[in-house]
Amino acid sequence: MIGVCKEYLIQKLKDAGIKSKIHTSMKTLTRTNESHVGAVIFEEDKLVRSGSKTIYKDERGDKRKRTKIFDRDLSFGVVIGEYDDSKCEGIFEKFIALLEQGILIDGNYTGIEFDEAQWIDENDDILKAKVAVRVLVTFKGGLYKDTAYALMSDLEQTIEKKEDAYGDE
């Protein structure tokens, strides 16, 4: 799930107008000398036990039960840096507009939410960009376990006659 989410954000940054290499670690981001910069940095993987159940039919029409074992929230810090305020804001607005409400990962819907944007000028940051914006993007999904229901035609019924506890009287 982490790889899919990271690649999704990288593609959206490229679609929004980031032309340079998109950094995926703080180490490479802090070492860059570029003023036009984009980054997707993994922040947190939060797991909370769940037990919600859903009954559905698969492609063959078989009845199945999907149990959500964990709620899983993956957070990524997305950084956009530019040498011009209006260009940075334009890329940021386009990036936010490109994000869908959610995506499918392994057939499971994963919601996408983002936190408030933090605007940073050149004096407050280690980046070479004149202005940068950082936003936390969270993917809200889960870990699931599927089980099949047995069909009544597949069950074998056996009936046994139970004798009285005291024998024949």
Side-chain angles (χ1 to χ4, degrees):
M1 184 172 164
I2 293 172
V4 173
C5 296
K6 186 189 301 183
E7 289 304 315
Y8 173 83
L9 292 173
I10 288 171
Q11 187 58 52
K12 294 302 177 186
L13 275 177
K14 288 178 181 177
D15 295 346
I18 298 293
K19 305 279 188 255
S20 61
K21 176 185 181 268
I22 295 175
H23 301 275
T24 56
S25 74
M26 282 302 290
K27 188 175 186 177
T28 61
L29 180 62
T30 56
R31 289 184 178 174
T32 188
N33 288 325
E34 302 173 22
S35 59
H36 172 81
V37 66
V40 176
I41 311 294
F42 178 73
E43 298 280 337
E44 182 181 39
D45 188 357
K46 185 176 172 185
L47 296 166
V48 177
R49 273 237 185 251
S50 178
S52 65
K53 296 176 176 96
T54 303
I55 298 172
Y56 70 98
K57 290 189 179 184
D58 64 10
E59 300 84 30
R60 296 184 331 194
D62 295 336
K63 194 174 180 182
R64 299 183 66 83
K65 178 173 66 171
R66 174 164 288 168
T67 304
K68 190 175 194 180
I69 301 169
F70 289 99
D71 289 315
R72 186 176 189 188
D73 293 352
L74 293 177
S75 298
F76 293 87
V78 177
V79 178
I80 299 169
E82 260 304 335
Y83 50 86
D84 180 45
D85 292 355
S86 62
K87 281 191 175 192
C88 187
E89 187 175 8
I91 292 171
F92 173 69
E93 288 175 353
K94 190 170 182 185
F95 171 75
I96 294 299
L98 288 170
L99 291 179
E100 288 126 328
Q101 288 185 340
I103 58 174
L104 288 178
I105 299 176
D106 297 329
N108 300 309
Y109 181 79
T110 302
I112 300 173
E113 296 179 1
F114 49 93
D115 206 354
E116 65 185 38
Q118 299 171 346
W119 291 88
I120 308 159
D121 70 7
E122 63 187 332
N123 298 325
D124 294 335
D125 200 40
I126 54 176
L127 298 176
K128 302 292 187 239
K130 181 178 178 189
V131 66
V133 62
R134 182 183 183 281
V135 64
L136 191 67
V137 179
T138 303
F139 291 83
K140 295 188 163 286
L143 297 174
Y144 301 89
K145 179 180 179 184
D146 291 339
T147 53
Y149 279 97
L151 298 175
M152 287 303 289
S153 60
D154 294 342
L155 297 178
E156 184 178 312
Q157 292 183 354
T158 57
I159 300 174
E160 296 178 14
K161 181 180 177 189
K162 187 174 181 181
E163 292 187 29
D164 291 337
Y166 301 109
D168 291 333
E169 292 183 5

